[in-house]
Amino acid sequence: MKYTISDIARLAGVSKATVSRVINNKDRGVGPETKARILRLIDELGYLPNTLARSIVVSQTKTIGLVVPDIVNPFFPQLIQGIVRHASQQGYTVFLCNSDNDIATENKLVMSLIEKRVDGVILATSAEGDDSTCFLLKHYGIPVVQVDRVAARANAGASVSIDNRGGTYAATRYLLQAGHRRIALLGGPKGLSTTTQRWRGYRDAHADQGVDLPSALLFYGEYSIEGGLSMTGELLRTEEEFTAVLAGCDTIAIGCVKALLNAGVRVPEQCEVIGFDGIEMAEIFDPPVSTVAQPIGEIAEEATNLLVGIMSGSISSDRHIVIEPSLILRRTTRMR
Amino acid sequence: MKYTISDIARLAGVSKATVSRVINNKDRGVGPETKARILRLIDELGYLPNTLARSIVVSQTKTIGLVVPDIVNPFFPQLIQGIVRHASQQGYTVFLCNSDNDIATENKLVMSLIEKRVDGVILATSAEGDDSTCFLLKHYGIPVVQVDRVAARANAGASVSIDNRGGTYAATRYLLQAGHRRIALLGGPKGLSTTTQRWRGYRDAHADQGVDLPSALLFYGEYSIEGGLSMTGELLRTEEEFTAVLAGCDTIAIGCVKALLNAGVRVPEQCEVIGFDGIEMAEIFDPPVSTVAQPIGEIAEEATNLLVGIMSGSISSDRHIVIEPSLILRRTTRMR
DNA sequence: CAAAAGAGATAAACCGTTTTCTCTACATTC
DNA sequence: GAATGTAGAGAAAACGGTTTATCTCTTTTG
């Protein structure tokens, strides 16, 4: 049931070299009817070339590694789907790794990817402050593109990321132009670059519109529904006046809307809410949540193309691509 | 930066065979201080054995393929997470494939897995009626375990599946014992084995409790929120009396609860609802949905262990494992 | 004390490909 | 009609490992 190239060669009465030429469509140096005979034989016997043997000589595996921090977080399956699809279109198969948000695991996984001789890696790192994973890849000369979360340090390679500042800037400006003057910010964990960048957009929009920052309305917490619930609880307890909320992510926004409704605050009549990310849950939630949506498909496509480009040498390995998110207005903002 | 086993051998002043022995911990035939010297060298130079070359001679890649129909469906990321984790614990790396619910794509992906010489495949097929994928794998002698959806035909190999009938049986019995006599069934697409099996549990529970099947209350539709919405719409329009709903899956249940609440039916006071699957969304939805939960982690673990067992020859390749789901009562059923 | 056993190590064959030379035979050019 | 070009094909050397058979000492055994 298992044939090798030598079997085919012997059965066809030619040399291995000739069979190899036919398999790889290097038509130079093989006559048409020899070719046909070999092709027929291959088909009849169901011969499959051994890609391992091939890889070892051409030193290329047509394989890439994809490392994500948490596959259960709904953002990542969509990203994975896009990357797997585009990679497959370009002839690459992907090794999927889940680091469980642990940098040590991430390093170990990447080592095993290197051992498997992947041609390149797409990395959504689990520790922004720590570029050890990128360092490893660099050390072994393996192309890498970072995605979503981008390690800050210099020796990190190419990247595809979202314009976090621009996204919250647009959302904040939208709310300010609608007349809001007391917009609460329910940000993510302090210290994360996304949290900081999103805060900047919020701040800059206020500055550009000439509105003072309502510093009593700034909160930070977990990127989760619970985080949204508890921050909103705090917000309500301060008894500060506010007429809109900008959330650091969609799950925070959902928790926030829940808490507001429970407290008898009507959404969006008494308070408008905008999230960030554009996860499916935001659409399905009742009421559907307005959000700054990351075009995940686009991120996946750019990341894959970038990596393929770097691997083929046609793109420099320190290119950074920034993608603009878009404001999607649903039912937690008023119709205008 | 890239060393081969010959480099190490030369630098250590020994033969390749000796280096190979110390790499593979075959201590027989290599002296302690030779071993130490080689180990130090390997460490210093960051030498990584080429797994491709190794695989080709031992004809084993320590690699498995995982094929799912739709990675965005929240059930699968959890399954993938579990499988990737257990596989990695046993020294296997996994190729992830997403068939987009298309059997032709599925076949193509599996072919490329075979070309990559995976040691085995875990398959959640996209077409139950079609066992062509299993057939391919069989033909090339690659162990396979089917999971979740199981191709019916005989030449399909091992499997891990859920006791669908048992799950709905337990849920239906629970409702019947609580006094309900008019339980609507909002099933999945007709023709799917899960739909049929879940219907059987519903039917058998009625029979065993001596209650007539309310045949006017049976509906079939998509496994989705929209499906739940529309089936509930139909149900309400019939004006038949009903006091509980058994849904074919959680998204149907969510759609159903939405529709009921919109129609002014109080849940669970006027109508109790139970879903199936135990996806996270059911827990997060407001109100949290009672459900027949599939222990996804357990499925993942059993499937991985089963495959590893088959690959090592210690388990027969036609073993079928059935896992019992468990009834989780939340807020769409009354407290008792 | 000779024979057998065992420890440490090597040479060489092999795994299944690709690729570079090289060779032959025939067609084209001047 | 010799020189050149070209198409079709094969032999053999890689690629980076593992494994088997073998070889040389030293140690044990009877």
Side-chain angles (χ1 to χ4, degrees):
Chain A
M1 188 109 337
K2 280 212 165 173
Y3 299 93
T4 74
I5 199 172
S6 313
D7 297 328
I8 305 295
R10 185 168 31 78
L11 263 29
V14 298
S15 74
K16 296 194 300 176
T18 305
V19 178
S20 177
R21 286 196 188 94
V22 169
I23 291 169
N24 297 295
N25 256 317
K26 299 208 197 301
D27 276 346
R28 178 195 214 78
V30 35
E33 98 266 7
T34 313
K35 176 173 179 177
R37 182 157 34 101
I38 293 174
L39 248 23
R40 182 150 24 84
L41 215 47
I42 286 178
D43 190 55
E44 272 170 19
L45 301 179
Y47 161 72
L48 285 185
N50 187 325
T51 44
L52 298 172
R54 166 160 225 284
S55 291
I56 190 181
V57 14
V58 302
S59 49
Q60 220 218 59
T61 53
K62 280 289 183 180
T63 278
I64 67 177
L66 172 56
V67 183
V68 300
D70 177 16
I71 190 187
V72 173
N73 174 336
F75 174 82
F76 289 107
Q78 288 186 58
L79 184 70
I80 295 170
Q81 169 179 244
I83 290 176
V84 166
R85 178 178 304 160
H86 286 100
S88 148
Q89 274 166 11
Q90 318 227 23
Y92 289 89
T93 314
V94 358
F95 279 121
L96 178 68
C97 300
N98 190 39
S99 68
D100 275 323
N101 274 307
D102 178 54
I103 186 72
T105 308
E106 184 178 304
N107 281 335
K108 248 192 303 199
L109 291 171
V110 163
M111 274 316 274
S112 80
L113 288 176
I114 298 176
E115 277 189 29
K116 294 267 194 234
R117 259 51 183 185
V118 293
D119 293 336
V121 168
I122 296 181
L123 170 69
T125 188
S126 60
E128 287 180 312
D130 186 335
D131 59 351
S132 55
T133 311
C134 280
F135 181 78
L136 273 176
L137 289 162
K138 273 266 141 80
H139 181 256
Y140 284 98
I142 297 185
V144 53
V145 1
Q146 293 193 81
V147 85
D148 187 40
R149 314 184 189 177
V150 176
R153 297 265 281 287
N155 64 10
S159 72
V160 175
S161 55
I162 202 83
D163 182 4
N164 287 298
R165 185 195 150 279
T168 43
Y169 184 94
T172 311
R173 193 184 49 192
Y174 172 83
L175 291 171
L176 288 169
Q177 289 179 344
H180 293 282
R181 285 300 172 267
R182 305 279 301 167
I183 307 172
L185 175 71
L186 307 186
K190 272 195 159 164
L192 283 189
S193 71
T194 50
T195 303
T196 314
Q197 289 170 9
R198 290 174 192 180
W199 168 78
R200 281 200 189 117
Y202 170 84
R203 179 198 59 184
D204 294 353
H206 277 84
D208 291 356
Q209 301 285 318
V211 178
D212 284 345
L213 224 54
S215 48
L217 301 181
L218 269 49
F219 297 85
Y220 297 94
E222 284 294 300
Y223 274 147
S224 68
I225 294 185
E226 282 67 35
L229 287 169
S230 76
M231 283 189 272
T232 309
E234 288 181 57
L235 172 60
L236 289 166
R237 273 194 299 283
T238 62
E239 307 210 337
E240 289 278 342
E241 186 206 341
F242 64 94
T243 60
V245 171
L246 187 68
C249 72
D250 285 340
T251 48
I252 290 180
I254 287 171
C256 170
V257 171
K258 268 194 170 183
L260 290 176
L261 294 175
N262 282 344
V265 179
R266 273 172 295 133
V267 177
E269 293 80 359
Q270 295 177 281
C271 177
E272 300 195 70
V273 176
I274 299 182
F276 202 109
D277 278 352
I279 64 176
E280 204 191 354
M281 198 193 298
E283 204 173 339
I284 283 162
F285 187 75
D286 199 18
V289 180
S290 298
T291 189
V292 179
Q294 303 197 32
I296 304 187
E298 199 181 323
I299 297 177
E301 182 169 2
E302 292 284 4
T304 314
N305 289 343
L306 182 50
L307 183 63
V308 171
I310 295 174
M311 292 187 303
S312 73
S314 65
I315 302 184
S316 142
S317 67
D318 57 2
R319 167 98 127 245
H320 296 271
I321 295 179
V322 174
I323 291 181
E324 286 305 320
S326 57
L327 187 58
I328 298 184
L329 298 174
R330 293 199 270 246
R331 289 300 154 80
T332 57
T333 42
R334 262 173 251 148
M335 311 285 255
R336 299 201 160 84
Chain B
M1 188 108 339
K2 281 213 165 173
Y3 298 93
T4 75
I5 199 173
S6 313
D7 296 329
I8 305 294
R10 185 167 32 76
L11 263 28
V14 298
S15 74
K16 296 195 301 175
T18 305
V19 178
S20 177
R21 284 199 190 88
V22 357
I23 290 169
N24 297 296
N25 257 317
K26 298 207 200 301
D27 277 345
R28 177 194 214 80
V30 34
E33 98 267 7
T34 313
K35 176 172 177 176
R37 181 158 35 100
I38 293 174
L39 247 22
R40 182 151 23 86
L41 214 48
I42 287 178
D43 190 55
E44 271 171 19
L45 302 178
Y47 162 71
L48 284 185
N50 186 324
T51 45
L52 298 172
R54 167 162 223 284
S55 291
I56 190 181
V57 15
V58 302
S59 49
Q60 220 217 60
T61 53
K62 281 287 182 180
T63 278
I64 66 176
L66 172 56
V67 183
V68 300
D70 177 16
I71 190 187
V72 174
N73 174 337
F75 174 83
F76 288 107
Q78 289 186 57
L79 185 70
I80 296 170
Q81 170 180 240
I83 290 175
V84 166
R85 180 178 303 160
H86 285 101
S88 148
Q89 274 166 12
Q90 318 228 25
Y92 288 88
T93 314
V94 357
F95 279 120
L96 177 69
C97 300
N98 189 38
S99 67
D100 276 324
N101 274 307
D102 179 55
I103 185 70
T105 308
E106 185 178 304
N107 280 336
K108 248 191 303 198
L109 291 171
V110 163
M111 276 316 274
S112 80
L113 287 176
I114 298 175
E115 278 189 26
K116 294 268 195 238
R117 257 56 181 183
V118 293
D119 294 336
V121 168
I122 296 181
L123 171 68
T125 187
S126 60
E128 287 179 311
D130 185 337
D131 60 350
S132 55
T133 311
C134 280
F135 181 78
L136 273 175
L137 289 162
K138 274 264 141 81
H139 182 256
Y140 284 99
I142 297 185
V144 53
V145 359
Q146 293 192 82
V147 85
D148 186 42
R149 314 182 188 179
V150 176
R153 297 266 281 287
N155 64 11
S159 72
V160 175
S161 55
I162 202 83
D163 181 4
N164 287 298
R165 185 196 150 278
T168 42
Y169 184 94
T172 311
R173 194 184 50 192
Y174 172 84
L175 292 171
L176 289 169
Q177 288 180 343
H180 292 282
R181 284 301 172 267
R182 306 280 300 167
I183 307 173
L185 175 70
L186 308 187
K190 271 194 159 163
L192 283 188
S193 71
T194 50
T195 304
T196 315
Q197 289 171 9
R198 290 174 192 180
W199 168 77
R200 280 199 190 119
Y202 169 85
R203 180 199 59 185
D204 294 353
H206 277 85
D208 291 356
Q209 302 285 319
V211 178
D212 283 345
L213 225 53
S215 49
L217 301 181
L218 269 48
F219 296 85
Y220 298 93
E222 285 294 299
Y223 274 146
S224 67
I225 294 185
E226 281 68 35
L229 287 168
S230 77
M231 282 189 273
T232 308
E234 287 181 57
L235 172 59
L236 290 167
R237 272 193 299 282
T238 62
E239 307 210 338
E240 289 278 342
E241 185 208 341
F242 65 94
T243 61
V245 170
L246 187 68
C249 72
D250 286 339
T251 48
I252 290 180
I254 287 172
C256 171
V257 171
K258 267 194 170 182
L260 289 176
L261 293 176
N262 281 345
V265 178
R266 274 171 298 132
V267 176
E269 293 81 359
Q270 295 176 280
C271 177
E272 300 194 71
V273 177
I274 298 181
F276 203 110
D277 279 351
I279 64 177
E280 204 191 354
M281 200 193 297
E283 204 174 339
I284 281 162
F285 188 75
D286 199 20
V289 181
S290 298
T291 189
V292 179
Q294 304 198 32
I296 305 186
E298 200 181 322
I299 298 177
E301 182 169 2
E302 292 284 3
T304 315
N305 290 342
L306 182 50
L307 183 62
V308 171
I310 295 175
M311 292 187 304
S312 73
S314 65
I315 301 183
S316 141
S317 67
D318 57 1
R319 166 97 127 249
H320 297 271
I321 295 180
V322 175
I323 291 181
E324 286 305 320
S326 57
L327 187 57
I328 297 184
L329 299 174
R330 294 199 269 246
R331 291 298 156 78
T332 57
T333 44
R334 263 173 253 149
M335 310 287 254
R336 299 200 160 83

